[in-house]
Amino acid sequence: MIGFGAYGACIVMSTVSFSGGLIWWLGAQSVGRSNGGGKRRQQIVEYSCLILAAATMVADALLHLLPEALEENDASRIGFITFLGAVSVLVFETCLEFLGFAKVIAPYGIANLAVESLHNFIDGIALGAAFAAGGGISATIAIAAHELPQELGDFAILKSAGFSTTSLLLLNAAVSLTSFLGVALAHRFQDESALLAFTAGTFLALALHSIALQARDTLSRIFFNSSSSPRTDTDSTHSEQKKDYNKDLPSRFSIFLLVLWSLFLILGSGYFLVYLADLEHASEHHRHHHHDHHQQHYLHDDDGHDHHHEHHSHDDL
């Protein structure tokens, strides 16, 4: 039976989710209040969070979800379920655009909420199984550690999609509640490989198709202000506006720095997810070891009972 520890871990996850949003909001506010270039700094923060979110999703899918789903499972089956997950995101976003939601909120923002609901549900299942087997603390630490950078990216995604700060805080808190449902239903999922593979597909599609494109658009706004244009109707001001436009163009050094920063976020996310995967594997090993030890103890007690029964039968004879 799963105790209150698993539900307490879900509360920790919800707190981490809210903390990630609070950190993002405070950072955006402090950047916005800074003197000079505040708008551009906000765009750089938004770009960094979008890149971090995309890199974390891809790394989580390829380094955590898919390897765990492939353990003792048919690779073709897992690959097909991953494909279905990726297609579902694309179809979902297309349907939202067709229904007119894109006029208010970008479809990828709503898709991100749906994907995060599924991901938190799977985290709840993992927490429930871990606490039932006695390895809940290490599992909680591993999940919470990768939740914070992902939440930072999620808030940037929702903000760029058109959600207000208040609504995205409330929606993200509501989405985190699906982990409680995962804990409650953990005992019903003996094999969660299909859920892991499907979630991996949704992560890959959302990160590489939607979030990466939004990050590219944000990068264009950082370096190439759409309001600036070297083209004019009169020749008298053409040279002056062209000079102003050229001032807005990025220098080679600034491009080099941004490339380095992007690589740092991408590779750092990957390395961090590798470390967390090792931590979760250690927790999984502890869980299986605890389960095997419990089975051996049960068999030993059962053999002792049989031996005691045979001893009494021999005395009766």
Side-chain angles (χ1 to χ4, degrees), residues 113-159:
L113 289 173
V115 169
E116 277 304 306
S117 298
L118 180 59
H119 186 221
N120 289 331
F121 177 73
I122 292 177
D123 284 344
I125 294 175
L127 288 171
F131 274 92
I137 295 178
S138 57
T140 302
I141 294 173
I143 294 175
H146 89 264
E147 196 72 18
L148 183 58
Q150 188 166 320
E151 291 299 332
L152 287 172
D154 286 341
F155 277 92
I157 294 168
L158 297 178
K159 190 66 176 177

Side-chain angles (χ1 to χ4, degrees), residues 10 12-21 52 56 60 116-117 119-121 123-124 127 140-155 172 175-176 178-179 203 272-273 276 280:
C10 290
V12 172
M13 296 299 105
S14 299
T15 304
V16 169
S17 175
F18 181 79
S19 300
L52 181 63
T56 303
D60 199 6
E116 277 304 306
S117 298
H119 186 221
N120 289 331
F121 177 73
D123 284 344
L127 288 171
T140 302
I141 294 173
I143 294 175
H146 89 264
E147 196 72 18
L148 183 58
Q150 188 166 320
E151 291 299 332
L152 287 172
D154 286 341
F155 277 92
N172 208 63
V175 163
S176 67
T178 57
S179 60
F203 271 24
F272 186 62
L273 263 296
L276 292 180
E280 290 189 4

